[in-house]
């Protein structure tokens, strides 16, 4: 009876915590699962330093060297402003994209739950948008002028959430007749893509079903922190547009085990016969090292597209 009472108390506390939390943005559905299942730098060597001086300014500097020899750099300063507002900047560069920048402004107590976004890449048209989170709903939208527009809306209550995302691409219409002058009034071809999510989340577990590509891809995810040591995650999907072997359902399963307060291991496997393994160890109070590998289980030869990488995070 005492155990049942404690279990009911835990469930009540989880439900209360879920009810008090703001409704997630559409892009944040399955955030715990996606963080758990993410590849941990298996294709590169990465060093990241997080500088947090005794000032309102915090900075993250990251350098990553890929297997092809290219180097990716990232600088992310974050400035804490009065009334819990915040200004963050992300700058990254690599051989393919000369520079990419992202600026976000969190309104804080001035307009709680509101964030403004500005993103630009090289000399391309910048993307502007905003997002708003409330205890009952969330909304976000973004636009690249004359290229694409996106809007998402999510409603939720006590852990339950459902929402949709609409993406509209504006493309120049192709003309077979060269005599048609599209420079005067360029015709536009509109491609529409709609995604939908419905899920239920508690602090230690979540389940979500989703539709992508106008309902052509159907899937579901499950995440559960079973105990303090064991975590599992499952992601399965089915693409109705594929034919032959590609028509088969896709499934990815991950298992994590916490060895102690400073070390953990993780393994995952999918139906593409990719096997991922990682080991993370806190070296001291200021450093964490992660070693990760990804292997092609269907081809054990040296040319089977196997990868190995590591990341070292300082002041973690």
């Amino acid at each position: 009876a005492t155990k049942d009472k404690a279990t009911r108390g835990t469930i009540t506390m989880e439900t209360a915590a879920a009810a008090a939390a703001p409704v997630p943005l559409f892009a944040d559905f399955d955030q715990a699962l996606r963080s758990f299942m993410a590849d941990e730098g298996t294709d590169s060597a990465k060093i990241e330093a997080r500088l947090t001086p005794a000032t309102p300014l915090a900075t993250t500097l990251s350098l990553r060297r890929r297997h092809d020899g290219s180097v990716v750099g990232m600088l992310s300063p974050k400035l804490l402003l009065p009334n819990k507002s915040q200004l963050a900047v992300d700058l990254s560069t690599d051989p393919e994209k000369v520079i990419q920048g992202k600026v976000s402004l969190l309104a804080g107590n001035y307009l709680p739950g509101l964030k403004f976004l500005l993103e630009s890449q090289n000399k391309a048209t910048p993307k502007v948008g905003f997002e708003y989170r409330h205890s009952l709903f969330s909304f976000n939208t973004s636009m690249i002028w004359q290229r694409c527009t996106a809007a998402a809306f999510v409603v939720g209550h006590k852990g339950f959430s459902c929402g949709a995302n609409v993406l509209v691409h504006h493309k120049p219409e192709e003309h077979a007749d060269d005599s048609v002058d599209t420079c005067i009034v360029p015709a536009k071809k509109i491609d529409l893509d709609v995604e939908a999510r419905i899920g239920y989340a508690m602090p230690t577990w979540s389940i979500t079903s989703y539709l992508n590509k106008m309902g052509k891809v159907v899937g579901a995810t499950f995440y559960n922190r079973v105990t303090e040591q064991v975590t599992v995650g499952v992601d399965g999907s089915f693409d109705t547009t594929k034919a032959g072997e590609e028509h088969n359902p896709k499934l990815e399963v991950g298992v994590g085990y916490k060895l102690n307060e400073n070390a953990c291991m993780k393994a995952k496997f999918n139906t593409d016969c990719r096997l991922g393994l990682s080991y993370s160890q806190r070296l001291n109070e200021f450093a964490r090292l992660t070693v990760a590998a990804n292997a092609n289980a269907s081809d054990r030869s040296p040319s089977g597209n196997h990868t190995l990488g590591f990341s070292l995070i300082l002041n973690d």
Side-chain angles (χ1 to χ4, degrees), residues 67-79:
H67 282 185
D68 60 6
S70 61
V71 178
V72 179
M74 186 187 73
L75 177 65
S76 302
K78 184 183 297 183
L79 179 63

Side-chain angles (χ1 to χ4, degrees), residues 68-126:
D68 60 6
S70 61
V71 178
V72 179
M74 186 187 73
L75 177 65
S76 302
K78 184 183 297 183
L79 179 63
L80 301 179
L81 302 174
N83 290 313
K84 298 184 178 180
S85 55
Q86 176 179 290
L87 177 65
V89 179
D90 293 318
L91 298 174
S92 63
T93 179
D94 62 36
E96 300 164 0
K97 303 171 185 176
V98 177
I99 189 168
Q100 181 173 350
K102 182 178 179 181
V103 179
S104 63
L105 175 61
L106 183 65
N109 290 339
Y110 298 108
L111 292 169
L114 184 64
K115 179 187 288 188
F116 299 94
L117 303 169
L118 173 64
E119 186 173 348
S120 181
Q121 177 179 312
N122 295 351
K123 296 181 180 180
T125 304

Side-chain angles (χ1 to χ4, degrees), residues 174-304:
E174 297 181 358
H175 294 273
D177 186 359
D178 293 336
S179 64
V180 177
D181 187 358
T182 59
C183 295
I184 301 175
V185 182
K188 293 291 182 178
K189 178 183 177 183
I190 295 179
D191 287 344
L192 182 66
D193 188 12
V194 179
E195 302 174 327
R197 300 279 191 277
I198 183 171
Y200 186 77
M202 289 285 107
T204 57
W205 66 276
S206 66
I207 184 169
T208 302
S209 61
Y210 58 87
L211 297 174
N212 291 344
K213 298 181 180 179
M214 300 290 288
K216 296 175 183 177
V217 177
V218 183
T221 66
F222 177 72
Y223 170 84
N224 188 14
R225 194 165 69 243
V226 183
T227 66
E228 289 294 329
Q229 289 76 35
V230 180
T231 303
V232 297
V234 181
D235 185 357
S237 64
F238 182 76
D239 192 339
T240 60
T241 63
K242 300 293 185 179
E245 292 184 358
E246 294 184 351
H247 192 64
N248 296 329
K250 302 292 184 181
L251 182 66
E252 185 173 23
V253 180
V255 179
Y257 185 75
K258 186 176 180 180
L259 300 173
N260 51 53
E261 290 298 324
N262 299 314
C264 62
M265 299 177 63
K266 187 166 63 177
K268 63 179 182 178
F269 187 79
N270 61 28
T271 50
D272 293 329
C273 294
R274 302 295 306 185
L275 174 64
L277 298 171
S278 69
Y279 175 79
S280 181
Q281 172 74 52
R282 181 177 289 280
L283 304 178
N284 54 43
E285 183 181 356
F286 304 103
R288 173 178 291 276
L289 175 66
T290 299
V291 180
N294 193 291
N296 185 356
S298 62
D299 185 358
R300 289 174 289 180
S301 65
S303 60

Side-chain angles (χ1 to χ4, degrees), residues 152-163:
F153 188 78
V154 180
V155 295
H157 184 59
K158 292 185 178 180
F160 172 81
S161 301
C162 65

